[in-house]
Amino acid sequence: MQFEPPPSTRLAPTFHALPDADTRQLLGELLPRRAATGRHVQQAHARLAVLGLATASVLPHLLAALPRLPHPPPPDEASSSSYPLSLFRHSASASAFASNHLLRVLPHPLPLRLFPNLPRRNLHSFTFLLASISNHLDATDHRASSFLGSHVHALAVKAGAAGDLYVRNALTHFYGVCGDVGAMRTVFDELPRVRDVVTWNAVLAGYVRAGMVRAAREVFEEMPVRDEVSWSTLVGGYVKEGELDVALGVFRDMVEKGVRVNEAAVVTALSAAAQMGLLEHGRFVHEVVQRTGMPVSVNVGAALVDMFSKCGCVAVAREVFDGMPRRDVFAWNAMICGLASHGLGQDAVELFWRFLDEGLWPTDITFVGVLNACSRCGLVAEGRRYFKLMVDKYRIEPEMEHYGCMVDLLGRAGLVSEAIELIEGMHIAPDPVLWGTVLSACKTHNLVDLGITVGNKLIELEPAHDGHYVLLASIYAKAKKWDEVREVRKLMSSRGTGKSAGWSLMEAQGNLHKFLVGDMDHKDSVQIYNMLDMINRRLADAGYVPDVSSVLHDIGDEEKVHAIKVHSERLAIAYGFIVTEVGSPIRIVKNLQVCGDCHEFSKMVTKVFNREIIVRDGSRFHHMKEGKCSCLDYW
């Protein structure tokens, strides 16, 4: 999830008093409670005109109700801007109130052009002008954007407005948005007595936008007063920089200190829990939502669906989804993608058709979810159909993710030649990930010669990617070509490329436990290995025999068995036996794809010990129960 810090509030005061209470009430009845569109305002204007109430003193309030016009402006810019300009010209004495709202609604660069000639302005006109420019900054040219702000800043100084709190807040916010943290800090530092919590929040958000989370934390610690915006901005900053566990810690501190939790903090914390797969943390955020009575808006609902799906509770995610009073396309996408990642392909496809029946228009992410659902469940014909539907009916140009799903679908089904044909016919240059998917298919289907060709091509394309060497070596190992395995490993070493360390995460009693292969650093290592020995004995009695084909070293079978026995997920499972209640699922998050023998081992554990195991690996969820897995051994 891409984080955007919450906007600073109270950057400028607004005044909405109408000259006549009855007219004010009527205008309130004519305009919708939610944000009015330009058409709504024009309809209200027409109604007031029919009643003889469209006086010059009322027109500025119609101008204030108009939404901001888009930038870049539509082709008919003159006509789109003519209505607000007409309201302004016919307003009584063209008040500062009318001037300010004209600056707010017009698309950039009109406000900057009109500003010098406005007949009525006040100090707060600068805040409206800065807000207008801020909303239309050129993200590719920070220097030009900062220059515009400097120009307005100079005008404010010349008019004697630069010492006003609201103008300073607008300037601080503007420089933060355009990425000029030096100018932002200068404005903040030069008048220490002209600050409020909004000023501090604007600096905090500016540092977060610039990716300077350490500087943001220093500002946060210095703040004399913090509000919910301060806390949620810091939470979002840590999520933006990938420090997810720190973000969740800040959110928990926020709750424990009694700060009112806002929607931005909740959605961001749920995103952090989802990315890490930490169910207990996600449940804590959900409990806060329920305890505080926060409405489950479309944003909160979609974030909850995403969190529960990515934390292995797809049934709970579906309950939240079905209970949402209103759902947008993001909520539907989260649920469709969630079902797909859990191997519930048919359910995902059925939900997709419900989505279409409700008149919603699918996005590229919607089709990523649907195609992934087909891939996970081997629905080859259906996958071809939805890929064609996406292109022909919905005019969505396939992106790398869509091709990736199709290549994965065809490769898993053994249609490797068709997958290669699809790649070679793409309208965009294929990335190495697609060829890596083909290489995985070659390994799965024992296509040694083709796998060797593709593997060597991949190493040429991405010589620093360790996964390509590992896959190629595993293909050689399955073919018992140990000299070639050694050559690949020697090549890895000479290029400074090492195999990524596999790890498994487990959440227990509010704490995170991370295991590496052969890990002896855990405080309960002795208990863990004793438990693992007991599990191994019981599985051996039940007929389990380790599959050592994934071990890439030319060593004896006994040594290979030992190497497999201490894989990180096995240590996590053993620890789960120690710390989780009987009857509760053991939940594990892995950074890499689970190996074939560990998959078989985990299934046997569920059968012999009657324990449910849920593993989120690098590509999907595995729900294991009674000796079976939701992936149907198809991953």
Side-chain angles (χ1 to χ4, degrees):
M1 165 182 181
Q2 183 64 40
F3 168 73
E4 176 63 22
S8 297
T9 55
R10 304 191 304 280
L11 290 174
T14 54
F15 308 97
H16 292 285
L18 284 171
D20 180 86
D22 291 336
T23 307
R24 182 167 66 246
Q25 180 180 351
L26 179 59
L27 189 57
E29 293 172 356
L30 292 173
L31 291 171
R33 292 187 179 183
R34 293 184 180 273
T37 65
R39 185 171 180 80
H40 288 141
V41 175
Q42 289 177 329
Q43 288 173 341
H45 189 177
R47 181 63 175 159
L48 290 170
V50 169
L51 297 172
L53 297 174
T55 61
S57 61
V58 171
L59 298 183
H61 299 278
L62 287 169
L63 186 61
L66 279 171
R68 184 183 295 113
L69 290 172
H71 178 80
D76 58 338
E77 178 187 323
S79 62
S80 66
S81 303
S82 61
Y83 180 63
L85 286 169
S86 176
L87 287 176
F88 178 77
R89 293 191 185 104
H90 291 87
S91 298
S93 69
S95 65
F97 175 81
S99 296
N100 291 344
H101 282 287
L102 182 67
L103 293 172
R104 180 185 62 81
V105 301
L106 290 179
H108 183 69
L110 284 178
L112 201 57
R113 293 177 189 166
L114 294 173
F115 186 80
N117 302 314
L118 289 176
R120 292 282 189 276
R121 297 192 316 228
N122 59 17
L123 293 178
H124 306 302
S125 301
F126 290 97
T127 68
F128 281 91
L129 179 58
L130 285 163
S132 175
I133 300 172
S134 297
N135 286 309
H136 303 305
L137 289 177
D138 184 353
T140 63
D141 193 346
H142 293 302
R143 181 175 295 182
S145 300
S146 184
F147 175 78
L148 287 177
S150 300
H151 176 63
V152 178
H153 192 172
L155 292 175
V157 171
K158 187 176 180 180
D164 177 78
L165 174 64
Y166 293 108
V167 176
R168 299 194 68 74
N169 285 351
L171 282 167
T172 306
H173 173 73
F174 173 84
Y175 284 124
V177 169
C178 73
D180 191 344
V181 293
M184 174 192 76
R185 189 73 203 208
T186 298
V187 173
F188 177 75
D189 288 337
E190 64 187 0
L191 290 176
R193 294 186 178 181
V194 189
R195 294 174 181 167
D196 63 3
V197 69
V198 177
T199 325
W200 286 89
N201 284 342
V203 173
L204 189 65
Y207 279 129
V208 165
R209 284 190 183 93
M212 302 170 66
V213 71
R214 294 290 176 271
R217 185 60 184 253
E218 290 174 8
V219 169
F220 181 82
E221 297 296 343
E222 293 172 12
M223 292 180 72
V225 178
R226 303 173 189 137
D227 61 8
E228 64 273 14
V229 175
S230 319
W231 285 89
S232 61
T233 300
L234 189 62
V235 172
Y238 281 116
V239 171
K240 180 173 180 279
E241 296 307 308
E243 298 188 41
L244 306 177
D245 53 339
V246 181
L248 290 168
V250 172
F251 180 84
R252 192 174 286 270
D253 287 345
M254 179 183 184
V255 173
E256 290 174 353
K257 284 181 167 54
V259 181
R260 185 179 69 86
V261 176
N262 61 11
E263 183 174 297
V266 164
V267 170
T268 311
L270 287 170
S271 170
Q275 290 180 60
M276 294 187 74
L278 302 180
L279 181 61
E280 289 183 29
H281 284 74
R283 278 178 173 160
F284 173 76
V285 181
H286 191 200
E287 287 165 6
V288 170
V289 171
Q290 294 172 319
R291 188 169 66 245
T292 58
M294 177 182 288
V296 179
S297 65
V298 288
N299 290 332
V300 172
L304 283 168
V305 170
D306 185 57
M307 182 277 292
F308 279 119
S309 293
K310 289 179 178 174
C311 290
C313 295
V314 69
V316 180
R318 188 60 186 263
E319 287 176 15
V320 173
F321 177 81
D322 290 339
M324 289 176 66
R326 196 165 65 89
R327 297 183 285 251
D328 63 2
V329 67
F330 298 105
W332 285 90
N333 285 350
M335 193 69 254
I336 290 170
C337 291
L339 291 167
S341 69
H342 285 268
L344 301 171
Q346 292 290 357
D347 291 345
V349 169
E350 288 172 12
L351 193 65
F352 171 68
W353 285 108
R354 272 187 56 196
F355 170 88
L356 296 181
D357 289 342
E358 295 206 7
L360 294 166
W361 194 263
T363 66
D364 57 335
I365 299 298
T366 316
F367 279 103
V368 168
V370 173
L371 293 174
N372 190 35
C374 294
S375 173
R376 297 303 179 192
C377 295
L379 304 174
V380 178
E382 291 86 344
R384 292 191 186 111
R385 174 190 175 192
Y386 294 128
F387 189 82
K388 189 175 187 325
L389 184 72
M390 175 183 75
V391 175
D392 294 348
K393 181 174 181 178
Y394 294 102
R395 304 299 178 192
I396 295 174
E397 197 73 27
E399 297 178 8
M400 206 64 72
E401 292 86 353
H402 303 109
Y403 284 116
C405 290
M406 288 301 297
V407 170
D408 189 53
L409 168 65
L410 296 169
R412 288 171 187 268
L415 303 172
V416 181
S417 297
E418 186 178 340
I420 293 174
E421 188 178 325
L422 178 66
I423 293 174
E424 292 174 343
M426 286 168 55
H427 70 282
I428 52 178
D431 67 7
V433 174
L434 292 183
W435 288 111
T437 304
V438 172
L439 185 57
S440 294
C442 291
K443 178 189 172 186
T444 300
H445 298 290
N446 294 316
L447 302 175
V448 176
D449 293 337
L450 181 58
I452 291 169
T453 302
V454 173
N456 284 310
K457 177 177 182 176
L458 264 173
I459 288 172
E460 289 178 19
L461 287 172
E462 274 191 318
H465 194 292
D466 63 287
H468 305 329
Y469 296 90
V470 173
L471 265 177
L472 179 58
S474 67
I475 288 174
Y476 279 129
K478 287 189 82 170
K480 306 291 186 187
K481 296 186 176 184
W482 297 112
D483 289 339
E484 286 82 355
V485 171
R486 279 189 286 273
E487 285 300 316
V488 173
R489 296 185 68 86
K490 194 182 298 181
L491 189 60
M492 282 181 74
S493 178
S494 67
R495 293 180 175 177
T497 305
K499 182 180 177 183
S500 297
W503 51 253
S504 296
L505 275 184
M506 186 180 175
E507 210 178 5
Q509 296 150 359
N511 295 316
L512 275 181
H513 302 269
K514 185 174 184 178
F515 299 94
L516 301 173
V517 59
D519 203 334
M520 297 293 293
D521 293 333
H522 196 280
K523 64 181 181 64
D524 297 319
S525 283
V526 173
Q527 287 178 269
I528 291 170
Y529 279 93
N530 287 339
M531 179 63 72
L532 188 55
D533 286 342
M534 184 276 291
I535 293 172
N536 285 328
R537 287 195 300 271
R538 290 279 300 276
L539 294 194
D541 291 342
Y544 162 70
V545 177
D547 176 6
V548 297
S549 62
S550 62
V551 179
L552 303 184
H553 296 280
D554 187 13
I555 55 179
D557 285 349
E558 187 175 335
E559 293 173 272
K560 290 182 180 182
V561 169
H562 177 72
I564 282 181
K565 279 186 175 181
V566 291
H567 278 189
S568 63
E569 55 264 55
R570 302 191 188 209
L571 300 176
I573 289 171
Y575 190 61
F577 269 70
I578 296 169
V579 296
T580 61
E581 296 180 6
V582 176
S584 299
I586 297 173
R587 301 176 184 275
I588 298 167
V589 177
K590 280 184 58 63
N591 65 325
L592 303 178
Q593 193 177 65
V594 63
C595 77
D597 186 65
C598 285
H599 189 264
E600 194 62 31
F601 171 89
S602 302
K603 287 197 305 177
M604 284 290 290
V605 168
T606 66
K607 182 177 181 180
V608 172
F609 292 94
N610 195 27
R611 294 293 302 266
E612 184 179 358
I613 297 174
I614 300 172
V615 179
R616 187 180 100 174
D617 72 5
S619 63
R620 64 166 300 146
F621 275 93
H622 299 267
H623 290 257
M624 303 178 189
K625 194 173 183 180
E626 298 175 353
K628 298 177 182 177
C629 182
S630 60
C631 73
L632 303 177
D633 299 336
Y634 189 91
W635 85 98

PDB file of all heavy atoms in Angstrom, residues 298-325:
ATOM      1  N   VAL A 298     -15.616   2.272   3.654  1.00  0.00           N
ATOM      2  CA  VAL A 298     -15.113   1.436   2.560  1.00  0.00           C
ATOM      3  C   VAL A 298     -13.604   1.247   2.689  1.00  0.00           C
ATOM      4  O   VAL A 298     -13.079   0.163   2.400  1.00  0.00           O
ATOM      5  CB  VAL A 298     -15.467   2.042   1.180  1.00  0.00           C
ATOM      6  CG1 VAL A 298     -16.942   1.895   0.887  1.00  0.00           C
ATOM      7  CG2 VAL A 298     -15.036   3.490   1.070  1.00  0.00           C
ATOM      8  N   ASN A 299     -12.895   2.283   3.160  1.00  0.00           N
ATOM      9  CA  ASN A 299     -11.437   2.157   3.310  1.00  0.00           C
ATOM     10  C   ASN A 299     -11.068   1.192   4.428  1.00  0.00           C
ATOM     11  O   ASN A 299     -10.200   0.331   4.261  1.00  0.00           O
ATOM     12  CB  ASN A 299     -10.814   3.530   3.593  1.00  0.00           C
ATOM     13  CG  ASN A 299     -10.873   4.451   2.389  1.00  0.00           C
ATOM     14  OD1 ASN A 299     -10.886   3.995   1.255  1.00  0.00           O
ATOM     15  ND2 ASN A 299     -10.912   5.745   2.627  1.00  0.00           N
ATOM     16  N   VAL A 300     -11.717   1.345   5.584  1.00  0.00           N
ATOM     17  CA  VAL A 300     -11.435   0.450   6.716  1.00  0.00           C
ATOM     18  C   VAL A 300     -11.850  -0.976   6.367  1.00  0.00           C
ATOM     19  O   VAL A 300     -11.126  -1.937   6.651  1.00  0.00           O
ATOM     20  CB  VAL A 300     -12.154   0.939   7.990  1.00  0.00           C
ATOM     21  CG1 VAL A 300     -12.030  -0.088   9.114  1.00  0.00           C
ATOM     22  CG2 VAL A 300     -11.592   2.280   8.448  1.00  0.00           C
ATOM     23  N   GLY A 301     -13.013  -1.123   5.751  1.00  0.00           N
ATOM     24  CA  GLY A 301     -13.491  -2.456   5.381  1.00  0.00           C
ATOM     25  C   GLY A 301     -12.549  -3.155   4.422  1.00  0.00           C
ATOM     26  O   GLY A 301     -12.208  -4.331   4.604  1.00  0.00           O
ATOM     27  N   ALA A 302     -12.095  -2.431   3.386  1.00  0.00           N
ATOM     28  CA  ALA A 302     -11.169  -3.030   2.417  1.00  0.00           C
ATOM     29  C   ALA A 302      -9.862  -3.419   3.095  1.00  0.00           C
ATOM     30  O   ALA A 302      -9.285  -4.472   2.801  1.00  0.00           O
ATOM     31  CB  ALA A 302     -10.897  -2.057   1.270  1.00  0.00           C
ATOM     32  N   ALA A 303      -9.376  -2.566   4.025  1.00  0.00           N
ATOM     33  CA  ALA A 303      -8.122  -2.864   4.739  1.00  0.00           C
ATOM     34  C   ALA A 303      -8.286  -4.089   5.633  1.00  0.00           C
ATOM     35  O   ALA A 303      -7.364  -4.904   5.756  1.00  0.00           O
ATOM     36  CB  ALA A 303      -7.689  -1.655   5.561  1.00  0.00           C
ATOM     37  N   LEU A 304      -9.455  -4.238   6.274  1.00  0.00           N
ATOM     38  CA  LEU A 304      -9.711  -5.423   7.109  1.00  0.00           C
ATOM     39  C   LEU A 304      -9.771  -6.689   6.258  1.00  0.00           C
ATOM     40  O   LEU A 304      -9.211  -7.730   6.632  1.00  0.00           O
ATOM     41  CB  LEU A 304     -11.026  -5.246   7.878  1.00  0.00           C
ATOM     42  CG  LEU A 304     -10.981  -4.326   9.100  1.00  0.00           C
ATOM     43  CD1 LEU A 304     -12.402  -4.009   9.576  1.00  0.00           C
ATOM     44  CD2 LEU A 304     -10.182  -4.964  10.233  1.00  0.00           C
ATOM     45  N   VAL A 305     -10.436  -6.609   5.125  1.00  0.00           N
ATOM     46  CA  VAL A 305     -10.512  -7.768   4.216  1.00  0.00           C
ATOM     47  C   VAL A 305      -9.111  -8.176   3.783  1.00  0.00           C
ATOM     48  O   VAL A 305      -8.745  -9.362   3.804  1.00  0.00           O
ATOM     49  CB  VAL A 305     -11.388  -7.433   2.992  1.00  0.00           C
ATOM     50  CG1 VAL A 305     -11.266  -8.527   1.925  1.00  0.00           C
ATOM     51  CG2 VAL A 305     -12.847  -7.263   3.401  1.00  0.00           C
ATOM     52  N   ASP A 306      -8.308  -7.188   3.407  1.00  0.00           N
ATOM     53  CA  ASP A 306      -6.936  -7.465   2.967  1.00  0.00           C
ATOM     54  C   ASP A 306      -6.111  -8.068   4.098  1.00  0.00           C
ATOM     55  O   ASP A 306      -5.375  -9.042   3.887  1.00  0.00           O
ATOM     56  CB  ASP A 306      -6.305  -6.155   2.486  1.00  0.00           C
ATOM     57  CG  ASP A 306      -4.916  -6.355   1.904  1.00  0.00           C
ATOM     58  OD1 ASP A 306      -4.785  -7.144   0.959  1.00  0.00           O
ATOM     59  OD2 ASP A 306      -3.965  -5.726   2.401  1.00  0.00           O
ATOM     60  N   MET A 307      -6.240  -7.500   5.314  1.00  0.00           N
ATOM     61  CA  MET A 307      -5.456  -7.993   6.442  1.00  0.00           C
ATOM     62  C   MET A 307      -5.812  -9.424   6.788  1.00  0.00           C
ATOM     63  O   MET A 307      -4.934 -10.297   6.909  1.00  0.00           O
ATOM     64  CB  MET A 307      -5.655  -7.094   7.660  1.00  0.00           C
ATOM     65  CG  MET A 307      -4.848  -7.475   8.892  1.00  0.00           C
ATOM     66  SD  MET A 307      -5.597  -8.780   9.927  1.00  0.00           S
ATOM     67  CE  MET A 307      -7.028  -7.924  10.566  1.00  0.00           C
ATOM     68  N   PHE A 308      -7.101  -9.714   6.960  1.00  0.00           N
ATOM     69  CA  PHE A 308      -7.489 -11.071   7.336  1.00  0.00           C
ATOM     70  C   PHE A 308      -7.126 -12.074   6.245  1.00  0.00           C
ATOM     71  O   PHE A 308      -6.708 -13.198   6.534  1.00  0.00           O
ATOM     72  CB  PHE A 308      -8.987 -11.131   7.652  1.00  0.00           C
ATOM     73  CG  PHE A 308      -9.336 -10.655   9.039  1.00  0.00           C
ATOM     74  CD1 PHE A 308     -10.172  -9.572   9.234  1.00  0.00           C
ATOM     75  CD2 PHE A 308      -8.817 -11.295  10.155  1.00  0.00           C
ATOM     76  CE1 PHE A 308     -10.485  -9.124  10.521  1.00  0.00           C
ATOM     77  CE2 PHE A 308      -9.122 -10.868  11.435  1.00  0.00           C
ATOM     78  CZ  PHE A 308      -9.953  -9.782  11.620  1.00  0.00           C
ATOM     79  N   SER A 309      -7.238 -11.668   4.987  1.00  0.00           N
ATOM     80  CA  SER A 309      -6.856 -12.570   3.896  1.00  0.00           C
ATOM     81  C   SER A 309      -5.374 -12.891   3.958  1.00  0.00           C
ATOM     82  O   SER A 309      -4.965 -14.049   3.849  1.00  0.00           O
ATOM     83  CB  SER A 309      -7.187 -11.933   2.539  1.00  0.00           C
ATOM     84  OG  SER A 309      -8.576 -11.801   2.357  1.00  0.00           O
ATOM     85  N   LYS A 310      -4.547 -11.855   4.140  1.00  0.00           N
ATOM     86  CA  LYS A 310      -3.100 -12.058   4.119  1.00  0.00           C
ATOM     87  C   LYS A 310      -2.578 -12.669   5.416  1.00  0.00           C
ATOM     88  O   LYS A 310      -1.419 -13.091   5.467  1.00  0.00           O
ATOM     89  CB  LYS A 310      -2.401 -10.731   3.829  1.00  0.00           C
ATOM     90  CG  LYS A 310      -2.589 -10.283   2.387  1.00  0.00           C
ATOM     91  CD  LYS A 310      -1.924  -8.962   2.092  1.00  0.00           C
ATOM     92  CE  LYS A 310      -2.104  -8.601   0.621  1.00  0.00           C
ATOM     93  NZ  LYS A 310      -1.589  -7.247   0.327  1.00  0.00           N
ATOM     94  N   CYS A 311      -3.416 -12.701   6.450  1.00  0.00           N
ATOM     95  CA  CYS A 311      -3.012 -13.341   7.708  1.00  0.00           C
ATOM     96  C   CYS A 311      -3.590 -14.745   7.842  1.00  0.00           C
ATOM     97  O   CYS A 311      -3.540 -15.348   8.916  1.00  0.00           O
ATOM     98  CB  CYS A 311      -3.423 -12.480   8.901  1.00  0.00           C
ATOM     99  SG  CYS A 311      -2.474 -10.953   9.032  1.00  0.00           S
ATOM    100  N   GLY A 312      -4.156 -15.260   6.748  1.00  0.00           N
ATOM    101  CA  GLY A 312      -4.597 -16.657   6.742  1.00  0.00           C
ATOM    102  C   GLY A 312      -6.016 -16.899   7.184  1.00  0.00           C
ATOM    103  O   GLY A 312      -6.423 -18.059   7.308  1.00  0.00           O
ATOM    104  N   CYS A 313      -6.791 -15.846   7.441  1.00  0.00           N
ATOM    105  CA  CYS A 313      -8.177 -16.010   7.906  1.00  0.00           C
ATOM    106  C   CYS A 313      -9.140 -15.576   6.812  1.00  0.00           C
ATOM    107  O   CYS A 313      -9.851 -14.573   6.939  1.00  0.00           O
ATOM    108  CB  CYS A 313      -8.413 -15.198   9.178  1.00  0.00           C
ATOM    109  SG  CYS A 313      -7.457 -15.743  10.586  1.00  0.00           S
ATOM    110  N   VAL A 314      -9.157 -16.314   5.718  1.00  0.00           N
ATOM    111  CA  VAL A 314      -9.963 -15.894   4.578  1.00  0.00           C
ATOM    112  C   VAL A 314     -11.459 -15.964   4.890  1.00  0.00           C
ATOM    113  O   VAL A 314     -12.248 -15.174   4.358  1.00  0.00           O
ATOM    114  CB  VAL A 314      -9.606 -16.734   3.329  1.00  0.00           C
ATOM    115  CG1 VAL A 314     -10.070 -18.175   3.480  1.00  0.00           C
ATOM    116  CG2 VAL A 314     -10.168 -16.111   2.068  1.00  0.00           C
ATOM    117  N   ALA A 315     -11.870 -16.882   5.794  1.00  0.00           N
ATOM    118  CA  ALA A 315     -13.291 -16.967   6.168  1.00  0.00           C
ATOM    119  C   ALA A 315     -13.724 -15.705   6.918  1.00  0.00           C
ATOM    120  O   ALA A 315     -14.817 -15.172   6.692  1.00  0.00           O
ATOM    121  CB  ALA A 315     -13.548 -18.204   7.029  1.00  0.00           C
ATOM    122  N   VAL A 316     -12.865 -15.206   7.813  1.00  0.00           N
ATOM    123  CA  VAL A 316     -13.169 -13.975   8.544  1.00  0.00           C
ATOM    124  C   VAL A 316     -13.182 -12.794   7.572  1.00  0.00           C
ATOM    125  O   VAL A 316     -14.026 -11.895   7.676  1.00  0.00           O
ATOM    126  CB  VAL A 316     -12.155 -13.728   9.672  1.00  0.00           C
ATOM    127  CG1 VAL A 316     -12.467 -12.440  10.430  1.00  0.00           C
ATOM    128  CG2 VAL A 316     -12.126 -14.910  10.635  1.00  0.00           C
ATOM    129  N   ALA A 317     -12.243 -12.793   6.627  1.00  0.00           N
ATOM    130  CA  ALA A 317     -12.218 -11.737   5.609  1.00  0.00           C
ATOM    131  C   ALA A 317     -13.540 -11.699   4.851  1.00  0.00           C
ATOM    132  O   ALA A 317     -14.094 -10.622   4.583  1.00  0.00           O
ATOM    133  CB  ALA A 317     -11.058 -11.969   4.643  1.00  0.00           C
ATOM    134  N   ARG A 318     -14.068 -12.884   4.538  1.00  0.00           N
ATOM    135  CA  ARG A 318     -15.336 -12.942   3.798  1.00  0.00           C
ATOM    136  C   ARG A 318     -16.496 -12.424   4.660  1.00  0.00           C
ATOM    137  O   ARG A 318     -17.400 -11.750   4.156  1.00  0.00           O
ATOM    138  CB  ARG A 318     -15.602 -14.385   3.351  1.00  0.00           C
ATOM    139  CG  ARG A 318     -16.793 -14.546   2.403  1.00  0.00           C
ATOM    140  CD  ARG A 318     -16.593 -13.733   1.127  1.00  0.00           C
ATOM    141  NE  ARG A 318     -17.744 -13.742   0.259  1.00  0.00           N
ATOM    142  CZ  ARG A 318     -17.888 -14.566  -0.794  1.00  0.00           C
ATOM    143  NH1 ARG A 318     -16.959 -15.450  -1.072  1.00  0.00           N
ATOM    144  NH2 ARG A 318     -18.947 -14.481  -1.551  1.00  0.00           N
ATOM    145  N   GLU A 319     -16.453 -12.713   5.974  1.00  0.00           N
ATOM    146  CA  GLU A 319     -17.489 -12.196   6.876  1.00  0.00           C
ATOM    147  C   GLU A 319     -17.474 -10.671   6.902  1.00  0.00           C
ATOM    148  O   GLU A 319     -18.518 -10.024   6.855  1.00  0.00           O
ATOM    149  CB  GLU A 319     -17.274 -12.741   8.289  1.00  0.00           C
ATOM    150  CG  GLU A 319     -17.621 -14.208   8.476  1.00  0.00           C
ATOM    151  CD  GLU A 319     -17.297 -14.692   9.878  1.00  0.00           C
ATOM    152  OE1 GLU A 319     -17.078 -13.829  10.765  1.00  0.00           O
ATOM    153  OE2 GLU A 319     -17.242 -15.917  10.090  1.00  0.00           O
ATOM    154  N   VAL A 320     -16.272 -10.103   6.993  1.00  0.00           N
ATOM    155  CA  VAL A 320     -16.148  -8.644   6.990  1.00  0.00           C
ATOM    156  C   VAL A 320     -16.656  -8.085   5.671  1.00  0.00           C
ATOM    157  O   VAL A 320     -17.423  -7.114   5.638  1.00  0.00           O
ATOM    158  CB  VAL A 320     -14.678  -8.216   7.222  1.00  0.00           C
ATOM    159  CG1 VAL A 320     -14.524  -6.702   7.040  1.00  0.00           C
ATOM    160  CG2 VAL A 320     -14.204  -8.631   8.604  1.00  0.00           C
ATOM    161  N   PHE A 321     -16.251  -8.702   4.570  1.00  0.00           N
ATOM    162  CA  PHE A 321     -16.663  -8.243   3.238  1.00  0.00           C
ATOM    163  C   PHE A 321     -18.176  -8.282   3.093  1.00  0.00           C
ATOM    164  O   PHE A 321     -18.799  -7.306   2.659  1.00  0.00           O
ATOM    165  CB  PHE A 321     -16.000  -9.120   2.172  1.00  0.00           C
ATOM    166  CG  PHE A 321     -16.402  -8.793   0.766  1.00  0.00           C
ATOM    167  CD1 PHE A 321     -15.808  -7.745   0.090  1.00  0.00           C
ATOM    168  CD2 PHE A 321     -17.373  -9.543   0.119  1.00  0.00           C
ATOM    169  CE1 PHE A 321     -16.188  -7.431  -1.210  1.00  0.00           C
ATOM    170  CE2 PHE A 321     -17.759  -9.247  -1.184  1.00  0.00           C
ATOM    171  CZ  PHE A 321     -17.149  -8.187  -1.849  1.00  0.00           C
ATOM    172  N   ASP A 322     -18.790  -9.425   3.470  1.00  0.00           N
ATOM    173  CA  ASP A 322     -20.240  -9.564   3.328  1.00  0.00           C
ATOM    174  C   ASP A 322     -20.992  -8.594   4.239  1.00  0.00           C
ATOM    175  O   ASP A 322     -22.127  -8.212   3.939  1.00  0.00           O
ATOM    176  CB  ASP A 322     -20.670 -11.004   3.640  1.00  0.00           C
ATOM    177  CG  ASP A 322     -20.218 -11.989   2.569  1.00  0.00           C
ATOM    178  OD1 ASP A 322     -19.948 -11.546   1.430  1.00  0.00           O
ATOM    179  OD2 ASP A 322     -20.116 -13.194   2.869  1.00  0.00           O
ATOM    180  N   GLY A 323     -20.374  -8.191   5.365  1.00  0.00           N
ATOM    181  CA  GLY A 323     -21.038  -7.289   6.300  1.00  0.00           C
ATOM    182  C   GLY A 323     -20.847  -5.819   6.002  1.00  0.00           C
ATOM    183  O   GLY A 323     -21.425  -4.962   6.691  1.00  0.00           O
ATOM    184  N   MET A 324     -20.049  -5.487   5.003  1.00  0.00           N
ATOM    185  CA  MET A 324     -19.810  -4.072   4.685  1.00  0.00           C
ATOM    186  C   MET A 324     -21.066  -3.440   4.092  1.00  0.00           C
ATOM    187  O   MET A 324     -21.641  -3.972   3.138  1.00  0.00           O
ATOM    188  CB  MET A 324     -18.645  -3.929   3.699  1.00  0.00           C
ATOM    189  CG  MET A 324     -17.289  -4.242   4.278  1.00  0.00           C
ATOM    190  SD  MET A 324     -15.953  -4.170   3.043  1.00  0.00           S
ATOM    191  CE  MET A 324     -15.974  -2.407   2.633  1.00  0.00           C
ATOM    192  N   PRO A 325     -21.505  -2.293   4.647  1.00  0.00           N
ATOM    193  CA  PRO A 325     -22.707  -1.643   4.105  1.00  0.00           C
ATOM    194  C   PRO A 325     -22.495  -1.116   2.693  1.00  0.00           C
ATOM    195  O   PRO A 325     -23.428  -1.020   1.906  1.00  0.00           O
ATOM    196  CB  PRO A 325     -22.963  -0.489   5.089  1.00  0.00           C
ATOM    197  CG  PRO A 325     -21.657  -0.265   5.783  1.00  0.00           C
ATOM    198  CD  PRO A 325     -20.958  -1.586   5.819  1.00  0.00           C
TER     199      PRO A 325
END
